Amino acid sequence: MRAIILAAGAGTRLRPLTSDRPKCLVTVGEKALVDHQIDALRSVGVDDTVLVVGCKADQVRAHCGDSVRYIENVDYHSTNSIYSLHLASAELDRATFLFNCDILFHGDILQSMLTAPYANVVAADASVERVQGEMNICYDSEGCITAISKELHPQEAQAQSVQLVKFDAEGAQRVRREIKRLVDEDQKDAYPTSAYGPLIAQRSLYAVEVGLSAWGEIDSIEDHQHALKRVVPRLG
């Protein structure tokens, strides 16, 4: 199994923590964000990890060395994460974990995703308050996702996405084809969730509830402080 981590962004909302480093190298507790993620992946047996780098890419390479493979998005200033994923789309040829570099999480979330009775899953937390502008999820009584978007009204959603996704080989290839279509249509500022449409239409993307596990998105200074107080102590 493989993991793709989208780590090209500058993380401007995390300044001054990102004044001298890219977002993925921001320290949370005793480790950089990307180190937390790589260690979590290794805890479930995933050691083939691809980092899509951009901002201060040389720093990331120096930090991670040959423990991961690299793809560089030199246009990270003017493109969104779907373009970073497009650059790595050749790697979507097998079962794959996909996530952004700014999610801090306990490795047991990955284990829950691996043992779920579905091939393609999104980690979801129904216990948190849904707010406008977050990646919200709608799903049916069986957990089959019917919509996932930052545009969803919070009152329509059943959960917030933890933004950790797992595809089987077939699902990954469907997403790869949809990414190509979107980028060919010059939709380079979209989010990777835009490419999940074929899986949603075929009722093959499911939410896996992980709200009892420690996790947090670190997108701002406030998020970073929350993670230090509420997430790091629960990582074990």
Side-chain angles (χ1 to χ4, degrees):
M1 188 160 185
R2 175 173 294 150
I4 299 174
I5 301 175
L6 305 179
T12 55
R13 291 175 58 194
L14 271 168
R15 289 175 181 163
L17 298 178
T18 52
S19 295
D20 62 349
R21 69 192 67 192
K23 182 189 254 188
C24 68
L25 294 187
V26 167
T27 300
V28 189
E30 298 181 352
K31 295 189 290 189
L33 266 167
V34 71
D35 292 332
H36 282 288
Q37 293 185 333
I38 291 170
D39 288 348
L41 286 164
R42 287 175 175 164
S43 75
V44 295
V46 179
D47 56 12
D48 180 11
T49 299
V50 177
L51 288 186
V52 184
V53 295
C55 177
K56 298 179 174 66
D58 289 346
Q59 283 191 29
V60 184
R61 287 189 172 94
H63 180 87
C64 295
D66 60 3
S67 65
V68 299
R69 296 186 288 119
Y70 304 93
I71 293 171
E72 186 164 355
N73 177 5
V74 297
D75 297 320
Y76 69 91
H77 281 299
S78 59
T79 59
N80 209 330
S81 48
I82 197 165
Y83 187 67
S84 287
L85 185 55
H86 167 68
L87 296 175
S89 60
E91 304 290 342
L92 289 168
D93 62 351
R94 65 190 65 187
T96 304
F97 278 116
L98 169 65
F99 37 87
N100 292 327
C101 71
D102 59 1
I103 309 298
L104 180 67
F105 58 91
H106 196 290
D108 62 6
I109 292 182
L110 301 184
Q111 190 62 45
S112 295
M113 297 169 74
L114 286 170
T115 57
Y118 311 109
N120 305 293
V121 299
V122 177
D125 188 346
S127 68
V128 297
E129 180 183 2
R130 265 75 76 195
V131 296
Q132 192 71 43
E134 294 294 342
M135 194 64 73
N136 292 316
I137 308 175
C138 292
Y139 51 81
D140 64 19
S141 60
E142 297 177 349
C144 184
I145 293 175
T146 57
I148 177 169
S149 172
K150 289 192 173 186
E151 305 301 321
L152 280 174
H153 193 284
Q155 292 183 355
E156 299 175 4
Q158 284 78 45
Q160 182 178 324
S161 173
V162 178
Q163 300 184 62
L164 306 178
V165 188
K166 179 191 74 76
F167 306 116
D168 69 354
E170 183 179 354
Q173 289 163 23
R174 288 179 181 172
V175 169
R176 178 173 64 184
R177 291 192 292 270
E178 184 66 1
I179 291 167
K180 182 179 186 304
R181 184 187 71 80
L182 292 168
V183 173
D184 285 348
E185 293 179 356
D186 207 31
Q187 297 188 44
K188 296 179 183 179
D189 61 346
Y191 294 99
T193 47
S194 301
Y196 303 168
L199 296 180
I200 292 173
Q202 294 163 0
R203 294 184 54 81
S204 59
L205 185 63
Y206 285 80
V208 172
E209 175 59 39
V210 297
L212 294 179
S213 298
W215 76 277
E217 180 179 16
I218 302 180
D219 212 20
S220 66
I221 293 297
E222 292 75 19
D223 291 341
H224 185 263
Q225 292 173 343
H226 176 268
L228 289 175
K229 293 178 181 178
R230 300 297 177 87
V231 181
V232 171
R234 297 176 58 200
L235 294 180

